Amino acid sequence: MIRSLAGGLIPGVLLCVMPKCPFCLAAWVSIATGLALPFPLANGLHKTFIAMCVASVLLSVIFFARSFVVLRPMRTGKTHVKNDLY
C-alpha cells in the first residue's frame, strides 16, 4: 500500500515542478546541458512528459484504491464464509 502511494509521489512532484510551456522546457534543457532544443521537439517532449506523469499518478491512485478496497474485509475481521463446523 505504501509502495503504490510512493510510486505516484515522484511523478506528482515532477508534474508540479515541470515548466508550464515548451519554451521554458527548452530553456531549462539549454541551461542544464548547453544543448538547444528546437520548438517542435520541445513541444513534443513537453506533451509526452505531462502525459506520462498524469498516467503514472492515475495508475498509482487506482492501485492504492484497489488495494484499499480488496483489503477492507480483512481489516475488519469479518468473513463472508459460514463456518458449519460449530
Side-chain angles (χ1 to χ4, degrees):
M1 184 164 83
I2 301 285
R3 185 176 177 194
S4 65
L5 186 60
L9 186 65
I10 293 172
V13 169
L14 286 176
L15 193 60
C16 291
V17 175
M18 186 178 301
K20 304 302 179 217
C21 69
F23 288 120
C24 297
L25 178 65
W28 278 32
V29 170
S30 178
I31 290 171
T33 64
L35 300 173
L37 291 179
F39 179 71
L41 180 63
N43 191 21
L45 282 175
H46 186 255
K47 288 179 182 179
T48 302
F49 286 153
I50 288 178
M52 288 172 55
C53 287
V54 168
S56 181
V57 168
L58 286 177
L59 281 174
S60 178
V61 167
I62 289 170
F63 288 145
F64 179 73
R66 185 176 175 196
S67 69
F68 181 73
V69 169
V70 169
L71 295 177
R72 178 177 272 176
M74 294 170 63
R75 289 183 189 155
T76 60
K78 297 179 182 177
T79 59
H80 300 289
V81 180
K82 288 180 69 176
N83 191 354
D84 292 332
L85 295 175
Y86 297 106

